[in-house]
């Protein structure tokens, strides 16, 4: 994936100014920098959710998955319901159950997402993204609201199950190191 001289502004606020970056397939990257520097905007461009004002974005895989800063679950659906919405009915139930067990979510399977704790919602969103057949996984501050035990389980799940291109947005160098991600400063 490559960004060449990408510019993006929202009104008078320039967020990205002639940014050029290359991300190699199958590598892990941690996008770091101060708040407001454009990390989330950059991944939104890669995901096709935004268009650059100028410059080019090329080589982005067709199959993409993301965990955004907010969990983006359907409030009325349970965790399995939210997963099935993305994965489809034919997705193997045993794979879903294994991931939910790995992320310590088996005790709240009948609870609507609106009644889950913030940490449970984050882990459900992560499970959904990891189970989706994707080549590019974007994680925007995915460990917010997780205690150390659940964060360690989430890091292990990412390391063990995802082998495509990973873009992690974080302020924590320990998260980058735990995922063996190359730090890219914006």
């Amino acid at each position: 994936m490559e960004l060449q001289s990408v510019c993006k502004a929202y009104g008078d606020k320039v967020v990205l100014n002639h940014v050029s970056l290359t991300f190699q397939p199958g590598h892990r990257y941690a996008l770091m920098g101060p708040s407001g520097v454009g990390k989330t905007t950059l991944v939104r461009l890669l995901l096709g959710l935004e268009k650059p004002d100028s410059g080019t974005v090329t080589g982005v895989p067709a199959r993409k998955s993301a965990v955004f800063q907010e969990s983006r679950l359907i409030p009325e659906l349970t965790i399995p319901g939210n997963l099935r919405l993305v994965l489809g009915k034919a997705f193997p139930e045993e794979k879903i159950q294994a991931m939910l067990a790995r992320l310590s979510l088996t005790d709240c399977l009948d609870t609507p997402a609106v009644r889950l704790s913030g940490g449970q919602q984050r882990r459900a969103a992560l499970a959904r993204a990891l189970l989706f057949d994707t080549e590019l996984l974007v994680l925007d501050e995915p460990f917010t609201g997780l205690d150390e035990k659940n964060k360690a389980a989430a890091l292990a799940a990412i390391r063990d199950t995802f082998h495509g291109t990973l873009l992690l947005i974080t302020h924590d160098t320990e998260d980058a190191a735990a995922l063996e991600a190359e730090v890219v400063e914006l």
Side-chain angles (χ1 to χ4, degrees), residues 85-154:
L85 191 65
V86 171
L87 302 173
K89 291 181 181 181
F91 193 87
E93 182 66 24
E94 60 275 6
K95 286 187 178 185
I96 291 174
Q97 292 304 317
M99 182 62 73
L100 295 178
R102 181 171 201 158
L103 295 174
S104 300
L105 288 168
T106 55
D107 61 340
C108 55
L109 297 181
D110 296 328
T111 305
V114 70
R115 292 193 5 236
L116 296 172
S117 72
Q120 289 169 326
Q121 289 181 18
R122 298 302 289 159
R123 287 178 282 144
L126 182 59
R128 179 180 59 196
L130 287 172
L131 288 169
F132 186 73
D133 181 25
T134 185
E135 298 172 86
L136 171 62
L137 177 61
V138 172
L139 302 174
D140 194 349
E141 300 286 347
F143 310 118
T144 302
L146 299 186
D147 60 27
E148 287 304 313
K149 178 184 168 200
N150 284 313
K151 181 178 175 178

Side-chain angles (χ1 to χ4, degrees), residues 18-38:
H18 297 283
V19 172
S20 295
L21 293 169
T22 300
F23 299 103
Q24 297 299 319
H27 289 239
R28 295 177 181 175
Y29 299 93
L31 302 177
M32 301 184 79
S35 294
V37 76

Side-chain angles (χ1 to χ4, degrees), residues 1 7 22 29 33 51 58 69 75-76 78 95 102 105 118 126 142 147-148 163 171 173:
M1 294 181 300
C7 297
T22 300
Y29 299 93
K51 299 227 181 284
T58 57
Q69 289 179 3
E76 300 80 22
T78 61
K95 286 187 178 185
R102 181 171 201 158
L105 288 168
L126 182 59
D147 60 27
E148 287 304 313
H163 306 290
H171 294 281
T173 56

Side-chain angles (χ1 to χ4, degrees), residues 54-75:
S54 63
T56 60
V57 177
T58 57
V60 179
R63 293 189 329 268
K64 305 173 277 287
S65 185
V67 174
F68 296 97
Q69 289 179 3
E70 56 286 328
S71 296
R72 298 191 182 186
L73 301 172
I74 304 298

